[in-house]
Amino acid sequence: MLLLVFGEHLSRNTLLPALAPRIDGTSSALAVGTFSVLNTVDQKLCVALGCINRPVSDFAAWKITSATLTPENAREGLKNAPNQSLLQVEIQNRLAIAVLLPNLEISLTDADESELKSIQLTPKEWLPNAWQESHPNFSTKGAPSGEVFQTQLSVSLPANTAGYRVRILYPQ
């Protein structure tokens, strides 16, 4: 039993993220209960033995709940260059633990779905300023479990833009 406890403590930075349930209701009640017990034991071990709590980078933790691109001058449509538009994005950390904040990538495409322009934004660029001010260590602490982010970004569209994609990524 003692070997199991120390094994958990030594592998906690890979074990906890792998076992963390989703908070959006897609995980079973058994998984949620088991993780809760494991997390309680882990926290007690951290107090006794010391540990470093690092947020993980996990693509599966993030859910893009909405992404809407709206031209600032809707009457002129997407044909006039340069066309400033407003991109509204909402993403959520669905994991039951803190997760590193990802970069956002916006890909603008033409009617043939060929990429015209790719814009990558770091968390400092896309996170709302109020959230950054209330979480000064966000780059090392990550996003708390269940945190929902709503952001609005100004985007300049090429003249022949017909579509867009928003995705998350972690830089290499």
Side-chain angles (χ1 to χ4, degrees):
M1 183 66 160
L2 191 60
L3 186 59
L4 269 174
V5 169
F6 281 115
E8 183 279 332
H9 185 69
L10 292 175
S11 62
R12 67 183 299 280
N13 287 333
T14 54
L15 183 64
L16 289 177
L19 297 176
R22 307 272 181 253
I23 62 163
D24 60 1
T26 59
S27 296
S28 71
L30 179 63
V32 172
T34 303
F35 183 77
S36 177
V37 170
L38 177 64
N39 203 23
T40 302
V41 169
D42 180 68
Q43 293 306 314
K44 289 180 181 181
L45 283 172
C46 279
V47 169
L49 302 174
C51 62
I52 298 170
N53 283 325
R54 294 183 195 134
V56 297
S57 55
D58 186 353
F59 291 106
W62 295 102
K63 179 180 181 182
I64 299 174
T65 54
S66 71
T68 307
L69 185 64
T70 308
E72 286 185 0
N73 192 346
R75 280 193 239 181
E76 294 179 24
L78 299 176
K79 300 296 179 197
N80 294 335
N83 187 7
Q84 283 300 113
S85 295
L86 189 64
L87 178 67
Q88 297 174 318
V89 178
E90 181 178 284
I91 66 171
Q92 179 184 22
N93 172 11
R94 300 180 303 159
L95 215 57
I97 59 174
V99 177
L100 283 173
L101 290 154
N103 289 356
L104 287 183
E105 181 181 64
I106 299 113
S107 298
L108 303 172
T109 59
D110 63 11
D112 295 326
E113 301 237 357
S114 297
E115 186 174 294
L116 299 172
K117 183 178 180 182
S118 179
I119 305 165
Q120 288 190 21
L121 303 168
T122 65
K124 191 162 187 71
E125 295 169 318
W126 68 262
L127 279 170
N129 288 333
W131 195 88
Q132 288 186 47
E133 290 169 5
S134 64
H135 298 82
N137 297 329
F138 70 88
S139 60
T140 57
K141 298 284 185 187
S145 173
E147 190 76 23
V148 176
F149 298 96
Q150 297 175 342
T151 188
Q152 294 185 0
L153 308 162
S154 182
V155 178
S156 179
L157 303 178
N160 54 345
T161 300
Y164 67 98
R165 289 185 195 98
V166 177
R167 70 181 187 123
I168 61 156
L169 62 100
Y170 287 103
Q172 304 235 1

